[in-house]
Structure formats: C-alpha cells, structure tokens
Amino acid sequence: MEPLGIVFTEIGPDFLRGTMPVDRRTKQPYGLLHGGASVLLAETLGSVAANLCTAPGEICVGVEINANHLVAVREGTVTGTARPLHVGRRTQVWEVRIEDELGRLACVSRLTLAAVPHRTPASAEG
C-alpha cells in the first residue's frame, strides 16, 4: 500500500474509502492509470473492509477479483469506495467503485473473500 501512496480516508457503517495518486508509480507506459494499480486499490479496500467484519479468530482472504476499467485516468487522485454485497459466515462479496477527481467512474470491481481460521506463523508450520 505505502509504496503506491494508498491512504485510507474514511470509514462508515457500510463502507471503507481510500485514495491513490495517479503518478509515475501507478501509470502504465502510455501515461494512463494502470489497470493493475486499480485492482490493487480495490483489493486493498475490500480486504481490509472484510476483515473488519470477521469473527474473532478468523481472517478474510481473497478468492476472486474482477474489474471493469471504464474511464482512462491520466493524472490526479482516484478514490475507491468498498461496500458489502454479502457478508456471510464463510464468504463475503464486496464491490469497489473507483472514481477520478471529476467523479467519473473509472473502475468497478467485485471481490470475493473466504473467512478462514487465523493462524500465527508458528502454528502454520506445525
């Protein structure tokens, strides 16, 4: 997160929001926001939000993510907002909408996560 400048900016009862700059770190060779950077922002927001909703002793891990890139972004900052579509005992599905500074929808992503028992590194070895 930190190397790409992702910052959490707001949390609400049903959302988590964060920003990411569109700069040399997040652009592809043609000067546009890299689709992979958008997916990274989406998975970061969705995963953190999901983990805020897990039962004690569990963590949520990504199972599948998809993204549709809708508007090219060349500069500025994008803002992603993660909202739950389904929060179950074993699975969660989150939608992340990423907008540019003009409020245009640049990317929409859906992330599916599984709730699994949390293991410390020592217990994972044994």
Side-chain angles (χ1 to χ4, degrees), residues 9-125:
T9 58
E10 191 176 357
I11 187 169
D14 69 342
F15 72 92
L16 179 65
R17 185 169 291 136
T19 60
M20 181 177 69
V22 179
D23 62 17
R24 62 175 176 68
R25 299 169 292 177
T26 58
K27 287 183 182 180
Q28 40 95 311
Y30 301 111
L32 306 173
L33 176 61
H34 195 293
S38 294
V39 172
L40 180 83
L41 176 60
E43 185 152 5
T44 298
L45 293 171
S47 292
V48 170
N51 277 287
L52 293 172
C53 300
T54 59
E58 293 186 338
I59 60 170
C60 274
V61 295
V63 174
E64 191 271 340
I65 189 167
N66 67 47
N68 295 99
H69 307 288
L70 306 171
V71 172
V73 181
R74 297 179 186 281
E75 61 186 8
T77 300
V78 290
T79 300
T81 304
R83 294 186 186 275
L85 298 175
H86 168 74
V87 177
R89 286 187 11 199
R90 293 288 160 231
T91 61
Q92 294 188 30
V93 180
W94 288 77
E95 179 182 71
V96 181
R97 298 171 67 87
I98 299 173
E99 298 178 346
D100 68 6
E101 290 178 336
L102 300 174
R104 298 179 305 167
L105 185 61
C107 176
V108 63
S109 180
R110 189 180 67 239
L111 172 64
T112 303
L113 305 107
V116 298
H118 181 258
R119 296 183 189 175
T120 61
S123 66
E125 294 173 3

